[in-house]
Amino acid sequence: MSTLSTTPGDSLDGRRIIVVGAGSHIGRHLAQAASTAGAEVLLAGPSTAKLEATAATLATPAAGIHRVDLADEESIAALAARAGAFDHLVSTAAMPANGPVSGLALDAVRRAFDAKVIGPLLLAKHLAGQVRPGGSFTFFSGVAAWRPAPERVVMATTNGALSFLVEALAVELAPVRVNAVSPGIVDSGAWDGLGENKESFLEHVAERNPARRTGTPDDLLQAVLYAMAAPFVTGTVLHVDGGGRLA
């Protein structure tokens, strides 16, 4: 289980945190770490079964389990109705639509925009009025926006659009803070599908990165903690990619 290293001023004791995407990968790590650090964690995502699996791993009981589909505004409105006042919302949601432009399916492209752009906009629409003083939204962008690659056009575009969205929301929702974390290649479980090729892939990425390593879930957790705790940071994209966007 991941942990968040906090200073006394960064304590999550009593903070109410909504994690959208808590059913897997970084969202699950974040929910576990926030719970261990003393937060009340509300788990949200499209799969109730996965959310229940995450809840079973938390240090303290989940404050709620809510099925949310970022393509479904009614489910987002229902989350707002049940969540009550809260301190921070973090969304790690992503629905990649990879492949050559000539073969892209429109439904997949729309789902990708729902997860990364329209969904975050609707989360802000329905939940911004419930954020406690000093609270924030943190969304997950990604290195593909700054380092586009063949067959990753939709990924680059949605992540780039999100980076502009957080700037606009930071102005509109002020003083509620809005930021993004942009991961590079992180060994969070998302690459396990590569099987025996995973290690060679990560080694190749590490050789190219200026930091000479790939990321860990804790690297991202520390960035999220900073985004939540830093009162003078808003409208910002925190690049947690080992310099991968520069390589």
Side-chain angles (χ1 to χ4, degrees), residues 75-226:
S75 74
I76 295 172
L79 170 65
R82 296 192 299 265
F86 66 95
D87 296 283
H88 304 286
L89 182 148
V90 183
S91 176
T92 65
M95 287 291 291
N98 297 329
V101 170
S102 60
L104 290 175
L106 182 57
D107 285 348
V109 173
R110 285 174 171 158
R111 290 289 297 183
F113 274 87
D114 285 334
K116 285 283 188 176
V117 184
I118 299 173
L121 183 60
L122 293 176
L123 287 169
K125 171 184 174 180
H126 287 281
L127 288 147
Q130 296 165 216
V131 180
R132 292 168 177 162
S136 69
F137 290 91
T138 303
F139 301 110
F140 268 57
S141 180
V143 69
W146 290 267
R147 190 175 175 80
E151 302 189 9
R152 298 294 185 271
V153 170
V154 177
M155 183 180 289
T157 304
T158 55
N159 284 314
L162 177 60
S163 71
F164 286 102
L165 177 62
V166 299
E167 293 181 351
L169 287 177
V171 173
E172 171 128 355
L173 302 184
V176 174
R177 295 179 299 105
V178 185
N179 294 296
V181 171
S182 177
I185 303 301
V186 175
D187 188 8
S188 64
W191 301 101
D192 291 353
L194 294 177
E196 62 183 17
N197 296 320
K198 172 184 167 180
E199 290 305 318
S200 60
F201 167 73
L202 294 179
E203 288 174 3
H204 176 69
V205 170
E207 289 171 358
R208 293 178 55 190
N209 264 4
R212 296 297 187 265
R213 70 177 182 88
T214 52
T216 67
D218 193 57
D219 293 322
L220 299 181
L221 299 180
Q222 294 299 329
V224 172
L225 176 66
Y226 175 77

Side-chain angles (χ1 to χ4, degrees), residues 3 7 33 41 81 98 152 182 233:
T3 60
T7 65
V41 185
N98 297 329
R152 298 294 185 271
S182 177
V233 175

